[in-house]
Amino acid sequence: MILIMIESQWGSGMDKIIIEGGRRLKGSVEISGSKNASLPCLFATLLTDEPCTLNNVPELNDIDTTCKLLEHLGKKVERKDHSIQVTSRKPLKTEAPYELVKRMRASVLVLGPLLARFGKASCSMPGGCAIGVRPINIHLSSFQALGAETEFSQGMVRLKSNGLKGKKIVLDFPSVGATENALMACVLAKGQTILENVAKEPEIEDCAKFLNAMGAEIKGAGTSKIVVQGKDFLHGATHQVIPDRIETATYLIASAATKGEVELSHTYPKHLKVIINHLIKAGIKIQIKEDKLNREYATIFCKVQKAIKPVYIKTGPYPKFPTDVQAQWMSLMSLADGNSLIQETIFENRFVHAAELGRMGAKIKIKGNQAKVSGSGRLSGAEVMVSDLRAGAALVIAALAAKGKSVIQRVYHLDRGYEKLEQKLSRLGARIYRVHG
Ligand code: UD1
């Protein structure tokens, strides 16, 4: 077998990642822009024909899919490094096809802006995925509350309205996507909308900041109640996307798992309080230093001197422990000195990685939404398969810490959400290669 050191981050669906584990990560890494903040901001450009520029957008497959979808709808998308400029090239279409929606569930975020601007929008219904059923009922009931009619036919959901009207809407659950979709719909609705029980994730606040720069009047984003004064139109704007808190958490845990010493720059520790607190409880030394050149950013230093202590986690909506870091935490706990418990409350099937970690020697028992992890302090390399993006991150972390060689299959999931993963880890001293399939 020929091992090829990765030159480009893009590979085919059959690519594998090979990791020769057991090396402590050491050095520094710059954190990329947030995937989950970039996506709604890109969809928000549908709310205007004027040019919009987004900076600090990561180079990822999900971003490519979003750009393709915007182009399909009639936008012109120009990318240079981490900046994306979106302009209107022709009258916009209002239908997102199955071909693109099946690649990325977040494509449903076309619905809010298109409905608000054109009084109609349709989108192929996203199916379930490896981590759960993931319905869009909360998105749709918000649109209905604003005055839209919904219709389902041939796998599509079609929305129409004779002009959205602001209202008080209480979400059944603080869904991230439903909050973003409702927000992008009501910025152009008539009058005031009050959204309650909304998601408080930093990505919502970032999207609202961009919408306000476009002329929207949104107050309270980042809290559970958002008040929006509807406008007749929005204009173009430029926005700097926040750093990726999930990528930061992944590198912090990778560093801890390998007993490493890593510094992560260009990140916002304020978005990572719960992760940092749990790492400290696990015995990891964390230091934070403000960036002198750009005071918005900070560098987080992470060092492990002793055995990792077992620490219980329960996932929940922000500011609780993020479900997107649960899998990585499971890898860390498999390496801890003792038993721990993980409770998943957001997705009903988000423990698929446990069986793959088992192939590397982890001892995990699943019962309902709980995972009991018997930490043994060590793992051994194995051939494993990625089921979803964060499960992939967990397997990479386990492989970095494990003794011997691991082969990780189905890495296309990782390419959706981790920019230059192999390059960044190589820079930290990992032996990691991609084999193109
Ligand atoms: C977003 C994130 C994803 C993260 C998740 C939870 C993006 C692109 N993705 O996904 O990485 O794991 O938040 O933090 O930002 N639900 C319903 N009905 C709905 C909507 C959601 O029942 O209409 C349920 C889902 O099935 C799930 C839970 O609510 O069980 C949370 O989902 P949601 O917050 O909507 O996640 P996403 O926005 O899809």
Side-chain angles (χ1 to χ4, degrees), residues 161-434:
S161 87
N162 292 322
L164 300 176
K165 288 193 188 68
K167 230 190 140 186
K168 178 174 161 180
I169 304 171
V170 184
L171 268 54
D172 286 347
F173 178 83
S175 149
V176 174
T179 303
E180 291 163 348
N181 240 339
L183 199 56
M184 290 192 279
C186 67
V187 286
L188 291 183
K190 217 170 174 53
Q192 190 184 66
T193 302
I194 301 176
L195 299 169
E196 287 187 2
N197 194 32
V198 291
K200 295 184 275 192
E201 268 71 358
E203 294 76 19
I204 308 278
E205 214 181 329
D206 201 47
C207 178
K209 196 173 164 196
F210 177 46
L211 290 168
N212 280 343
M214 294 172 78
E217 200 179 321
I218 303 168
K219 292 199 177 109
T223 74
S224 57
K225 179 177 168 183
I226 300 180
V227 180
V228 183
Q229 203 58 50
K231 298 284 173 189
D232 291 337
F233 64 91
L234 297 188
H235 52 74
T238 296
H239 177 68
Q240 172 88 0
V241 172
I242 53 170
D244 198 311
R245 65 192 167 100
I246 308 299
E247 189 199 24
T248 312
T250 302
Y251 281 97
L252 283 172
I253 294 173
S255 169
T258 62
K259 305 254 165 55
E261 207 177 325
V262 163
E263 59 177 76
L264 305 171
S265 62
H266 270 79
T267 192
Y268 284 178
K270 65 180 177 186
H271 293 162
L272 285 141
K273 281 185 189 150
V274 70
I275 303 288
I276 289 174
N277 288 341
H278 279 76
L279 284 169
I280 292 170
K281 278 192 213 159
I284 285 97
K285 219 175 143 198
I286 302 275
Q287 272 183 336
I288 295 166
K289 209 167 96 190
E290 211 179 67
D291 206 317
K292 282 206 180 95
L293 292 176
N294 183 342
R295 285 185 175 269
E296 281 215 81
Y297 288 129
T299 298
I300 306 180
F301 298 85
C302 166
K303 193 173 171 177
V304 183
Q305 280 155 331
K306 299 177 247 167
I308 298 154
K309 292 186 208 151
V311 179
Y312 159 77
I313 62 155
K314 180 178 177 183
T315 64
Y318 189 85
K320 293 186 181 151
F321 197 97
T323 176
D324 282 354
V325 186
Q326 177 258 106
Q328 300 89 314
W329 194 261
M330 192 180 279
S331 295
L332 185 66
M333 288 302 103
S334 304
L335 293 154
D337 192 11
N339 303 335
S340 58
L341 186 72
I342 293 179
Q343 268 185 290
E344 171 59 55
T345 74
I346 302 293
F347 290 106
E348 62 276 20
N349 188 29
R350 209 173 193 178
F351 285 142
V352 184
H353 44 278
E356 296 302 295
L357 287 173
R359 296 175 51 74
M360 302 178 78
K363 292 186 183 67
I364 302 159
K365 276 196 188 137
I366 308 288
K367 201 170 169 199
N369 75 339
Q370 298 196 353
K372 279 187 185 166
V373 187
S374 308
S376 62
R378 66 198 137 119
L379 294 172
S380 55
E383 188 147 356
V384 288
M385 202 178 278
V386 177
S387 55
D388 68 84
L389 172 58
R390 308 304 171 185
L395 295 176
V396 167
I397 290 169
L400 289 168
K403 211 171 154 49
K405 182 170 127 178
S406 293
V407 179
I408 301 177
Q409 295 187 15
R410 298 199 183 164
V411 298
Y412 55 85
H413 289 290
L414 282 160
D415 294 335
R416 290 187 41 216
Y418 287 95
E419 186 178 29
K420 298 188 174 72
L421 179 73
E422 298 100 304
Q423 288 95 323
K424 287 188 181 186
L425 286 171
S426 297
R427 220 172 293 145
L428 294 175
R431 288 218 174 109
I432 177 167
Y433 314 89
R434 182 179 292 233

